[in-house]
Amino acid sequence: MIYLDHAATTPVPRAVADAMIEVLTEQYGNPSSQYPLGAEMKKRVEGWRCAVAAALDCPAERLYFTSCGTEGDNWALRAAAWQNRHAGKHIVTTAVEHSAVLETCKQLEREGCEVTYLAPDRDGTITAAQVLEAVRPDTAAVSLMLVNNELGTVYPVAEAARGLPARNPHTLLHTDAVQGLTTFSARALGADFVSVSAHKIGGPKGCGALYIGPRVKNPRPLLAGGGQERGLRAGTEATAQIAGFARAAELRLERLEEDRAHLEALRAYAREKLLSIPDMVPVGAGTAPHILSVSLAGWPSQNMVNDLGSQGICISAGSACHQGKPSHVVAALGLPKRVAAGVIRLSFGPETTFEEIDACAQALRRHRDTRMPML
Ligand code: PLP
């Protein structure tokens, strides 16, 4: 199998699975238990928190484990809206956020908030000036993703954070950094909330974390109960998942420079190979090294995904085709119909090889040469 969909999820390295198995079978204590098995587990959870915090470059005591990136996105937006509920009910976000942010915004709209959805240009670009101009005296929160999961575009979160206090000192800034984990420093970004997820960096599914910065006063607990996660997210800690997240983060940090160079080389190689296929065009001005978005203009992306899938090659339609309609991200770019219909996403991991890119490019070329385009 050739797996070119690392933005969807990543394989779990053996060392990560081993760390999880040890916790499941030997270190199975509940961190809240008072005897040594529990106390030991509590200590280890704090050690794992430090390991994941190192991957975000944030203080460990400001990091809260969650069940996924989606949970972090939901929690951050609601916590920001709650803190500023007396100052205003306006939220600024973009039309290209993950549905974890967009659906939470829609819920908040039903609860009385007003949301401004910023449109990108044709390249998927959104500027910090655009974000800041949309901020008003009643803006409770801004949610601006760090790396777009379909296009690989990197958004100017740090610049928005620097400009925000002059526009409105109360507005809290959230960034969904799920696709950027290990490429940023939360300290340098300056966002008040940063959400991440384990399964995008070789960790298990069902585990994430939310950084909550010092401007968030008495954050509203997400789950009430036994007081875990310093009283903000109750529920017995998912110790094996957290152990896996920490080990995955350590492994990625150990090889950060090599992996980045490899991904950049892969992406440049894939871009050149794919764009040499007739009718293949670039989509967006993404620069994230693990994501490449292109379109075989005129050939429906779902057919490509199915055709390559039947040959054991996994690529994505960029979450692109929901019952024949382009994804909300592709739709937001306002591309011509034939280009929008053919958008595919390849995404790479440290394990991806150049030979796999060759095989994928060959299969796409064959698809182009043997399948009928849309009318
Ligand atoms: N945000 C972005 C940008 C993502 O790419 C994803 C997952 O695809 C999520 C949020 C959701 O993360 P999770 O699958 O951990 O809920």
Side-chain angles (χ1 to χ4, degrees), residues 188-242:
L189 278 184
D192 299 297
F193 299 93
V194 181
S195 36
V196 296
S197 178
H199 75 106
K200 309 293 183 177
I201 62 155
K205 294 165 191 57
C207 189
L210 180 67
Y211 161 81
I212 304 184
R215 294 200 323 139
V216 186
K217 308 291 174 209
N218 303 318
R220 190 183 189 186
L222 178 71
L223 297 175
Q228 291 90 347
E229 296 297 299
R230 294 187 292 291
L232 294 190
R233 189 202 181 269
T236 301
E237 296 85 345
T239 50
Q241 311 295 103
I242 293 170

Side-chain angles (χ1 to χ4, degrees), residues 10-214:
T10 54
V12 170
R14 175 61 56 187
V16 171
D18 286 346
M20 296 178 67
I21 288 169
E22 193 222 335
V23 173
L24 287 168
T25 58
E26 290 166 35
Q27 293 286 328
Y28 45 79
N30 183 328
S32 300
S33 297
Q34 300 302 309
Y35 40 79
L37 187 68
E40 174 60 20
M41 191 37 64
K42 194 174 184 65
K43 250 201 266 165
R44 293 193 73 186
V45 168
E46 293 318 310
W48 294 324
R49 196 185 308 278
C50 290
V52 177
L56 283 90
D57 187 30
C58 72
E61 66 275 13
R62 297 217 157 269
L63 195 70
Y64 298 84
F65 287 116
T66 61
S67 72
C68 55
T70 299
E71 182 180 312
D73 287 346
N74 275 249
W75 187 8
L77 273 161
R78 288 195 165 274
W82 175 256
Q83 173 158 318
N84 285 326
R85 65 195 179 283
H86 302 304
K89 288 181 173 293
H90 177 234
I91 294 169
V92 176
T93 189
T94 79
V96 295
E97 297 296 315
H98 190 272
S99 47
V101 166
L102 292 178
E103 291 301 318
T104 306
C105 284
K106 281 189 203 156
Q107 278 186 346
L108 288 166
E109 280 180 305
R110 287 194 287 274
E111 293 164 25
C113 288
E114 184 194 340
V115 183
T116 300
Y117 298 92
L118 299 172
D121 70 10
R122 249 185 201 212
D123 277 339
T125 303
I126 290 168
T127 64
Q130 219 180 322
V131 174
L132 294 172
E133 269 161 32
V135 173
R136 314 187 309 213
D138 64 339
T139 303
V142 171
S143 184
L144 174 65
M145 74 196 314
L146 186 62
V147 177
N148 184 273
N149 48 304
E150 294 190 34
L151 305 171
T153 35
V154 179
Y155 292 113
V157 175
E159 202 184 334
R162 280 194 298 274
L164 202 52
R167 293 288 298 175
N168 184 337
H170 301 293
T171 306
L172 293 170
L173 176 63
H174 164 243
T175 185
D176 171 340
V178 166
Q179 292 292 343
L181 184 53
T182 74
T183 69
F184 66 88
S185 152
R187 290 175 215 270
L189 278 184
D192 299 297
F193 299 93
V194 181
S195 36
V196 296
S197 178
H199 75 106
K200 309 293 183 177
I201 62 155
K205 294 165 191 57
C207 189
L210 180 67
Y211 161 81
I212 304 184

Side-chain angles (χ1 to χ4, degrees), residues 1-2 306-313 359 363 366-367 371:
M1 191 187 64
I2 294 177
N306 295 345
D307 182 18
L308 269 64
S310 72
Q311 302 167 54
I313 303 173
R366 215 167 29 238
H367 184 90
R371 303 296 179 99

